[in-house]
């Protein structure tokens, strides 16, 4: 079936560097995408979202890029901090997904080295 | 509190017993979702509710799983005759409406079936 997946299961970066987490999706009908951050023992926390009529959206220290041509999504974190260490999930939904059900990728663990 | 709450936070049960997991969505949110997250895995959709409408049960893994939502607010996920493979974190999320609306997650209930 359709799925959302991630290229890198673990990403290790130096504190202060920029981080890029990638996600590939296969459902060409997907039109809404969300990045979540999940710390150990907690539920996923919303970071940023983007709709398919956009190719870039910026938040505080985070930027999401959407390339619909190649069905690729990325999350960029500027000046990565130790508190950014967590597992990051991309999620997508499409008009035919029951009730806006989200399809999640497998997650990428971000480790920030001091 | 302003966020989604879930109870209990942890549940240990014996194989064959029934368990009930509770979710209190954000006040005013009409859509409510249940997901399951196995150890080190992404999130798997289980069921969603939109207001007082009949739920979409397409993600439930077996007929041992059921859920209800009373008064369009609080939801209970019930697992009957629990099996060891039911061990996971059960996450609840809510959103203001249904389509293309960010889902906000609770902290989850960690279920361990011995």
């Amino acid at each position: 079936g359709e799925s959302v997946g991630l290229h890198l299961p673990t990403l290790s970066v130096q504190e202060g560097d920029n981080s890029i987490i990638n996600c590939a999706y296969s459902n060409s009908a997907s039109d809404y995408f969300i990045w979540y951050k999940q710390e150990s023992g907690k539920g996923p926390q919303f970071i940023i979202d983007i709709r398919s009529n956009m190719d870039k959206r910026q938040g505080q220290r985070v930027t999401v890029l959407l390339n619909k041509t190649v069905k690729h999504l990325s999350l960029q974190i500027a000046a990565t901090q130790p508190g950014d260490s967590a597992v990051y999930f991309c999620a997508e939904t499409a008009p035919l997904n029951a009730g806006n059900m989200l399809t999640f990728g497998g997650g990428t663990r971000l480790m920030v080295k001091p | 509190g302003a966020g989604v709450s879930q109870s209990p936070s942890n549940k240990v049960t014996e194989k064959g017993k029934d368990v009930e997991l509770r979710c209190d969505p954000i006040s005013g949110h009409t859509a409510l979702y249940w997901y399951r997250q196995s150890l080190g895995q992404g999130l798997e959709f289980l069921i969603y509710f939109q207001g007082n409408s009949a739920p979409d049960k397409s993600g439930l893994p077996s007929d041992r799983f059921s859920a209800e939502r009373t008064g369009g607010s609080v939801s209970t996920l019930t697992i009957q005759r629990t099996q060891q493979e039911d061990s996971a974190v059960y996450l609840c999320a809510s959103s203001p409406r249904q389509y293309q609306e960010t889902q906000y997650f609770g902290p989850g209930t960690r279920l361990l079936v011995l």
Side-chain angles (χ1 to χ4, degrees):
Chain A
E2 302 285 7
S3 64
V4 177
L6 298 174
H7 298 300
L8 300 173
T10 303
L11 176 64
S12 183
V13 300
Q14 203 71 37
E15 180 179 359
D17 287 351
N18 296 334
S19 303
I20 300 177
I21 300 172
N22 296 302
C23 180
Y25 64 96
S26 57
N27 185 356
S28 56
S30 294
D31 61 356
Y32 180 56
F33 305 86
I34 307 175
W35 280 102
Y36 286 95
K37 171 186 179 183
Q38 188 173 28
E39 297 173 285
S40 180
K42 297 183 179 179
Q45 175 189 358
F46 170 83
I47 301 175
I48 192 168
D49 61 357
I50 189 168
R51 290 174 168 76
S52 59
N53 60 351
M54 304 172 69
D55 54 19
K56 179 179 180 179
R57 192 167 187 215
Q58 290 183 295
Q60 186 177 12
R61 282 201 307 117
V62 294
T63 300
V64 55
L65 299 177
L66 175 63
N67 186 329
K68 296 180 287 293
T69 302
V70 295
K71 296 197 280 292
H72 185 266
L73 190 70
S74 69
L75 176 69
Q76 301 179 358
I77 304 173
T80 313
Q81 302 169 359
D84 295 328
S85 294
V87 177
Y88 290 81
F89 292 96
C90 62
E92 53 88 11
T93 192
L96 293 181
N97 281 17
N100 192 29
M101 173 264 288
L102 292 172
T103 300
F104 282 81
T108 292
R109 181 174 301 280
L110 177 64
M111 300 176 64
V112 182
K113 297 177 289 186
Chain B
V4 177
S5 61
Q6 293 186 245
S7 62
S9 54
N10 294 279
K11 177 70 176 179
V12 181
T13 190
E14 294 179 346
K15 177 182 175 180
K17 295 290 180 73
D18 297 351
V19 295
E20 285 189 353
L21 313 178
R22 175 187 170 105
C23 171
D24 284 89
I26 293 171
S27 179
H29 282 195
T30 60
L32 185 148
Y33 306 81
W34 283 98
Y35 293 85
R36 177 169 71 175
Q37 185 175 32
S38 300
L39 185 63
Q41 300 297 313
L43 280 73
E44 171 192 7
F45 167 76
L46 296 177
I47 188 171
Y48 95 98
F49 297 85
Q50 174 58 40
N52 293 318
S53 302
D56 184 299
K57 305 178 182 180
S58 58
L60 295 178
S62 79
D63 58 8
R64 296 185 296 104
F65 288 71
S66 64
E68 63 178 17
R69 189 179 185 191
T70 55
S73 180
V74 172
S75 178
T76 302
L77 177 69
T78 301
I79 308 173
Q80 296 178 307
R81 304 181 302 282
T82 52
Q83 303 295 312
Q84 289 183 333
E85 59 263 29
D86 299 334
S87 297
V89 176
Y90 289 82
L91 290 155
C92 175
S94 71
S95 68
R97 287 177 295 277
Q98 184 171 327
Y99 190 62
Q100 282 203 349
E101 290 287 347
T102 302
Q103 295 180 24
Y104 298 91
F105 283 83
T109 293
R110 284 147 190 81
L111 175 65
L112 178 61
V113 182
L114 302 176

